[in-house]
Amino acid sequence: MALATRTRTSAPSLWGSTIGKKTVMAVSGLIMLGYLVVHMLGNLKIFFGADEFNGYAHWLRTLGSPFLHYEWALWIVRVVLLAAVVAHGVCAYQLSRLDIRARPVKYVHKRRRASYATRTMRWGGIILGLFIVWHLLDLTTLTVNERAWAGHPYENVLATFSTWYGNTIYIVAMAAVGLHVRHGFWSAAQTLGAGRPRRERMLKTLASGLAVVLFAGFVSVPVAVMTGLVN
């Protein structure tokens, strides 16, 4: 009976603790990071032409066939990502509130944070949340893409990045992604126990490298459309 009680209460206790929330943030963040890497590599297929890119988009919808029905695998990925985003956001908000309650009196002398990424993590998260909504409306539901052509993802990408606002929104959001990844990867490593004094420089270099690669990879698509390299 005591063992059963401990089992039932362990999960709520973990969730209710600061370290538990940080662990959820770290794991959910790594799930999203893995998705970003795969998504970026898929986006780069646009440089191989319309047939290659549209074929890749079709493959995503038939992944797991015939065991899985059309788009089932894609929806599984979407559900996992949604759960990761919600868990990440909820924990970030709750940790922020805990931090504010722990320091009810503002410091007399405000000290500058260690880096720009650290000081803008919260705003970066809000920007990314708004961008996800825009991105889905733009290239998934095609609601805000005025020249969208259902079933033709290559042409829809060109339509998005043929507008100044489409490029601006995307590039600003990718800058936020880079900053978020740079700081978030380092924080996740610390939370999950991978951060050691001897590994500090390596982890910081890896975090910065991931941020740069993701930013450059994602932004290369709108830049290629703007310059006519992809048309």
Side-chain angles (χ1 to χ4, degrees), residues 3 19 33 35 61-62 64 76 89 95 103 110 116 134-135 144 157 182 187 189 195-196 204 208 212 214 219-220 226:
L3 178 60
I19 187 62
L33 177 60
Y35 170 78
R61 286 159 175 76
T62 58
I76 290 172
L95 286 170
R103 295 185 287 106
K110 293 183 179 179
Y116 181 78
W134 164 268
H135 197 51
V144 299
V157 170
R182 182 176 179 272
S187 296
R196 296 287 188 275
K204 286 184 177 180
S208 297
V212 170
L214 286 171
V219 169
S220 66
M226 284 189 287

Side-chain angles (χ1 to χ4, degrees), residues 27-39:
V27 173
S28 59
L30 291 176
I31 290 172
M32 291 186 285
L33 177 60
Y35 170 78
L36 284 172
V37 172
V38 173
H39 188 41

Side-chain angles (χ1 to χ4, degrees), residues 48-176:
F48 296 94
D51 291 339
E52 182 82 13
F53 191 76
N54 288 337
Y56 165 70
H58 177 72
W59 172 79
L60 288 176
R61 286 159 175 76
T62 58
L63 186 63
S65 176
F67 179 72
L68 297 177
H69 290 287
Y70 186 75
E71 287 195 347
W72 275 24
L74 195 57
W75 274 106
I76 290 172
V77 172
R78 287 169 176 166
V79 170
V80 171
L81 277 174
L82 178 61
V85 169
V86 171
H88 200 78
V90 169
C91 286
Y93 174 76
Q94 291 180 347
L95 286 170
S96 175
R97 299 304 300 172
L98 287 172
D99 182 57
I100 292 172
R101 284 199 295 268
R103 295 185 287 106
V105 180
K106 294 183 178 180
Y107 293 125
V108 176
H109 300 289
K110 293 183 179 179
R111 292 183 299 176
R112 189 174 181 179
R113 298 284 184 177
S115 67
Y116 181 78
T118 303
R119 288 182 283 120
T120 56
M121 279 296 285
R122 291 171 186 171
W123 281 109
I126 294 172
I127 290 171
L128 292 178
L130 293 173
F131 171 73
I132 289 172
V133 174
W134 164 268
H135 197 51
L136 290 173
L137 292 174
D138 183 31
L139 291 174
T140 300
T141 66
L142 309 180
T143 305
V144 299
N145 197 333
E146 296 178 355
R147 291 180 288 176
W149 189 5
H152 295 78
Y154 180 89
E155 289 76 10
N156 294 339
V157 170
L158 294 186
T160 290
F161 296 132
S162 295
T163 62
W164 68 267
Y165 56 86
N167 290 315
T168 301
I169 292 171
Y170 195 84
I171 292 173
V172 169
M174 292 309 104

